[in-house]
Amino acid sequence: MKRALITGISGQDGSYLTELLLAKGYEVHGIVRRTSSFSRGRIDPFYGAKVDPSGKLVLHYGDMGDEKNLRKLLEKVRPDEVYNLASQSHVGISFEMPEYSTDVNALGTLRLLDAINDYCPEARCYQASTSELFGSADESPQTEQTRFRPNSPYAVAKLYAYWMTVNYRQTYGMYACNGILFNHESPRRGENFVTRKITQTVARIAAGEADCLYIGNMDAQRDWGYAPDFVRAMWLMLQQEKADDYVIATGELHSVREFIAKSCAYVGMRIEWSGEGMTECGIDASSGKTVVQVDPKYYRPIDIDSVLGDATKAERELGWKPEVKFDQLVEIMMEADVAATQKVQ
Ligand code: NAP
Ligand code: GDD
């Protein structure tokens, strides 16, 4: 039985990856943080090997800031595969917490790579790199060859982690890969990322539980995919003959405004836009109510206007292709948030 270790197992991607690996019969070990209230809601359903009787889930307390703890865990678990998904993953918040974001995202990766190299150098490693590395990119779409121009503390820290992963591969011959993943979403997405904030609030507005969606930069454009498709790519990267780095993306670009309009359409609201910039708002055409308003507090000091990925290499070498694209993604997320709202009522 193969043994995998996942950092960030309680997050969106960690939960889908756990589900995938358990279904493949892996023994899955995950690192969770001590928190005052439990933060394991996403993985609770898989605890006790409910997905596949041959699979097994084991959780360990740990933190990317605690080097000794990581070293002890690697020595004890000695995994065949390591997926480093742990991160202070909110770009906006990284401007408020640059040092902490660097410690977790950059130095945390170094601590982990070093422990792997000392205790289980044959382990195959996946590093959660990101399209944020491209920042204000010089070209579109972005490929593995596109120059990195990170423009947030989050992205600068992830750039360090990217190059450390390459460095451990080159220096010590470790099988270490960077997945340069573009935005991927799901009903398990954290509630303060834009897509989930939209689907959750629109579902509440439709149920009469909220009046308005307060939002930041609606002109921002992203290449949004579906998290279960993207964790499949992570696993594929660790099953190749040779370690390499891959862009994973859908190749479709949509704006935040489009995401809002599509989500509203799902609950039968047609949005008419009026005003510009900070005064722009969205009005429900049938009721005349203002249901979308801009709040400057959701703007970032610097934002990425648009990122669009070209996953040709992943398709050619890994046989990976996204199964879900934008329209279906919005439907999946709206369906889940509408159902969750009805459950509460
Ligand atoms: P997420 O939902 O925010 O999950 C982050 C995970 O990291 C959580 O399990 C969190 O634990 C854990 N974590 C945070 N700080 C930690 C620390 N100091 N020590 C140990 N664990 C810690 O993120 P995600 O969307 O699943 O993303 C997974 C990874 O992919 C992240 O590294 C992210 O930066 C990267 N990425 C994401 C996307 C995307 O669009 N989703 C795209 C490209 C790259 P708690 O539950 O205790 O907070
Ligand atoms: N979060 C948030 N909240 N974003 C908003 C809001 C809002 O109210 N209003 C507008 N936006 C805009 C942001 O300014 C940004 O341009 C865009 O929506 C997407 O924001 P997020 O959903 O927070 O995602 P992100 O692209 O910054 O970062 C996510 O994707 C990266 C991959 O490109 C995170 O998952 C990162 O961890 C990941 O690396």
Side-chain angles (χ1 to χ4, degrees):
M1 183 191 283
K2 272 198 182 172
R3 191 177 291 175
L5 176 69
I6 305 176
T7 74
I9 194 167
S10 57
Q12 171 189 253
D13 291 3
S15 69
Y16 284 112
L17 184 63
T18 299
E19 209 173 344
L20 179 85
L21 296 180
L22 287 176
K24 289 184 183 296
Y26 277 61
E27 182 177 300
V28 178
H29 291 252
I31 300 182
V32 289
R33 297 195 283 180
R34 191 270 153 182
T35 45
S36 66
S37 50
F38 261 34
S39 60
R40 300 179 197 171
R42 295 184 180 103
I43 48 171
D44 263 350
F46 318 127
Y47 208 55
K50 284 181 196 140
V51 173
D52 184 306
S54 62
K56 191 175 164 198
L57 176 60
V58 185
L59 298 181
H60 308 266
Y61 281 110
D63 196 293
M64 298 307 286
D66 185 339
E67 182 187 338
K68 275 198 187 126
N69 158 271
L70 290 175
R71 295 183 76 79
K72 274 189 195 156
L73 281 177
L74 266 300
E75 187 179 13
K76 184 168 143 193
V77 177
R78 294 188 191 264
D80 302 296
E81 294 175 7
V82 180
Y83 296 87
N84 183 28
L85 311 183
S87 160
Q88 190 302 91
S89 70
H90 199 286
V91 176
I93 293 171
S94 78
F95 288 97
E96 292 173 43
M97 304 177 76
E99 185 181 333
Y100 175 73
S101 304
T102 303
D103 189 47
V104 177
N105 300 0
L107 293 179
T109 304
L110 171 62
R111 293 177 188 115
L112 184 71
L113 285 168
D114 212 56
I116 296 166
N117 195 32
D118 283 350
Y119 295 113
C120 42
E122 300 303 317
R124 296 186 162 209
C125 313
Y126 173 85
Q127 168 57 23
S129 285
T130 162
S131 51
E132 285 289 306
L133 297 176
F134 298 121
S136 318
D138 314 300
E139 59 179 16
S140 185
Q142 292 92 47
T143 71
E144 294 79 6
Q145 305 307 321
T146 303
R147 183 161 73 110
F148 294 139
R149 297 183 64 199
N151 64 3
S152 66
Y154 166 84
V156 173
K158 284 283 190 178
L159 185 71
Y160 174 94
Y162 173 95
W163 283 116
M164 266 305 165
T165 302
V166 173
N167 188 260
Y168 271 66
R169 180 167 80 214
Q170 291 175 341
T171 312
Y172 304 110
M174 270 173 60
Y175 188 110
C177 303
N178 282 289
I180 308 170
L181 270 51
F182 282 63
N183 299 50
H184 46 279
E185 319 292 315
S186 73
R188 295 185 203 162
R189 183 59 142 153
E191 293 165 6
N192 62 354
F193 294 96
V194 78
T195 56
R196 186 72 201 291
K197 175 173 165 176
I198 294 168
T199 58
Q200 198 173 50
T201 310
V202 169
R204 285 182 181 154
I205 293 171
E209 287 176 12
D211 295 326
C212 189
L213 168 69
Y214 294 94
I215 199 83
N217 177 11
M218 287 195 280
D219 292 323
Q221 294 178 307
R222 291 291 184 275
D223 177 334
W224 279 296
Y226 184 42
D229 279 344
F230 281 49
V231 300
R232 194 161 37 83
M234 295 176 187
W235 178 78
L236 282 168
M237 281 179 220
L238 299 199
Q239 315 309 314
Q240 306 305 307
E241 266 181 32
K242 196 171 127 289
D244 207 344
D245 309 315
Y246 296 90
V247 160
I248 301 296
T250 70
E252 276 191 22
L253 196 59
H254 297 274
S255 67
V256 170
R257 192 178 291 97
E258 270 178 272
F259 202 106
I260 296 171
K262 260 243 160 317
S263 303
C264 289
Y266 183 92
V267 290
M269 270 195 284
R270 188 171 61 79
I271 300 296
E272 283 173 353
W273 299 102
S274 100
E276 264 180 37
M278 295 295 167
T279 61
E280 183 171 1
C281 59
I283 296 158
D284 173 13
S286 62
S287 68
K289 281 187 186 158
T290 298
V291 289
V292 184
Q293 279 187 68
V294 173
D295 185 332
K297 86 172 173 214
Y298 296 116
Y299 271 73
R300 295 172 184 175
I302 309 177
D303 205 355
I304 293 183
D305 298 332
S306 131
V307 269
L308 174 67
D310 175 351
T312 304
K313 179 177 169 185
E315 185 174 350
R316 188 180 61 239
E317 295 184 12
L318 306 177
W320 180 86
K321 255 179 139 173
E323 283 173 9
V324 172
K325 289 206 173 179
F326 184 75
D327 288 352
Q328 202 188 342
L329 172 68
V330 177
E331 278 174 28
I332 291 170
M333 293 180 70
M334 278 306 300
E335 189 182 3
D337 275 324
V338 166
T341 311
Q342 283 162 355
K343 224 186 260 175
V344 172
Q345 281 181 329

